Amino acid sequence: MSPRTKEQNDAIREMRMNQIMQAAAEVYLEKGIQLEIRDVAVKAELGYGTVYHYYKNKHMLLEDLLWDALSRTESAVQAALAGDNGSSIKAKPFSTLLLRKCIQDPSVFILLKSVADNFHHFPGNRFIKLFAEFQERIYSPFVEMIREGIDSQSPEKTANLIFGSLVGCAALNIHHNMQSEMDVEGFVDMVYSGIQSKER
C-alpha cells in the first residue's frame, strides 16, 4: 500500500476540519460557551485525540468557526452587495439572503448572534479583529444600503433593528425546531413594511 500524497493528506485534513466545525456549531447551539472538545468529538463521531490534534482548546476551535462563518456570510450576501440594482432595492434582498443563510448554517447564526451580543460570552479581546472585519465586510455596506434606500433618520439604528429582527427570527426557528419551511421573504417584507411606515 503506497503512502498518501500531499494532496490526499490536505483533502483529508480539510474534510476533518469541516466535520469538526460542523459538529462544534451543533454543540454550541446546545451548550453555548460551555461546549468542550470532548462534546465536539462525540458529535463528530471522532476520537478525542483526533479533534485535539486540530484544535488544542475550544477557544481556538470557536475562533476558526467564526472566521469561517464570516466568509460564508459574505459569500451568501454577495449577490446583493455586488448587484447592479439601485441601493434602494439592495437592502431587502441582502436581508433575505442573510436570514436564509442564518437559518441554514448554524455557524452563520452563531456569528450574527455573537456580534449582536458583542462577543460577551468569549474571554479576552480575541474577537476585536473579527468584529472589525464583520463591520467592514457586512455591517457597513448594509448601513449604506439603508442610508441610500430607506428614508431613515438613523441608518445605523435601522440596520441594528433589522439585524436584531433577523437574528431573533433565526433563533426561534433554530431553537424551537420549527418543522415547516419558514417564509423568509414574508418575514423580511413584514420587517421592512413596519420600518418604512414608522419612518414616514
Side-chain angles (χ1 to χ4, degrees):
M1 188 169 163
S2 58
R4 286 194 295 251
T5 65
K6 181 185 181 308
E7 290 76 18
Q8 288 171 322
N9 283 331
D10 289 346
I12 289 169
R13 177 179 171 77
E14 186 177 342
M15 183 186 72
R16 282 280 181 262
M17 290 181 77
N18 287 338
Q19 187 178 2
I20 291 166
M21 283 201 280
Q22 183 177 348
E26 291 175 23
V27 173
Y28 188 91
L29 290 179
E30 295 166 7
K31 296 190 169 192
I33 198 67
Q34 302 304 318
L35 129 162
E36 295 296 337
I37 294 286
R38 197 172 305 280
D39 303 322
V40 175
V42 169
K43 182 69 81 173
E45 299 180 349
L46 295 170
Y48 175 72
T50 301
V51 178
Y52 192 74
H53 171 75
Y54 292 101
Y55 294 102
K56 299 301 177 209
N57 60 58
K58 68 181 181 181
H59 300 296
M60 290 174 67
L61 173 53
L62 289 170
E63 196 167 350
D64 253 17
L65 177 78
L66 293 175
W67 275 103
D68 185 60
L70 177 60
S71 296
R72 291 170 185 258
T73 304
E74 189 173 35
S75 294
V77 298
Q78 196 57 47
L81 290 173
D84 294 329
N85 297 333
S87 293
S88 61
I89 314 173
K90 285 184 182 180
K92 271 176 79 172
F94 176 98
S95 300
T96 302
L97 292 168
L98 190 63
L99 179 56
R100 187 170 284 119
K101 187 65 174 175
C102 199
I103 290 168
Q104 292 169 349
D105 187 337
S107 66
V108 170
F109 170 73
I110 293 165
L111 172 67
L112 296 183
K113 179 87 168 67
S114 298
V115 168
D117 292 341
N118 204 21
F119 296 98
H120 80 275
H121 291 299
F122 299 93
N125 296 320
R126 67 191 310 136
F127 291 103
I128 288 174
K129 186 173 182 204
L130 176 63
F131 184 75
E133 286 286 319
F134 181 87
Q135 294 287 102
E136 181 182 333
R137 291 158 61 179
I138 307 295
Y139 181 75
S140 294
F142 183 57
V143 170
E144 198 53 38
M145 290 175 198
I146 299 291
R147 180 174 284 114
E148 295 180 20
I150 296 176
D151 185 20
S152 172
Q153 295 178 1
S154 175
E156 289 82 7
K157 282 185 180 175
T158 301
N160 290 344
L161 179 64
I162 293 169
F163 266 122
S165 299
L166 300 180
V167 170
C169 176
L172 284 171
N173 197 73
I174 289 166
H175 291 303
H176 294 279
N177 297 319
M178 295 182 172
Q179 301 301 321
S180 61
E181 181 73 21
M182 186 189 164
D183 180 9
V184 171
E185 288 87 356
F187 179 80
V188 171
D189 283 344
M190 183 175 66
V191 169
Y192 276 82
S193 64
I195 287 170
Q196 286 168 327
S197 65
K198 188 172 180 358
E199 295 289 348
R200 285 191 189 115

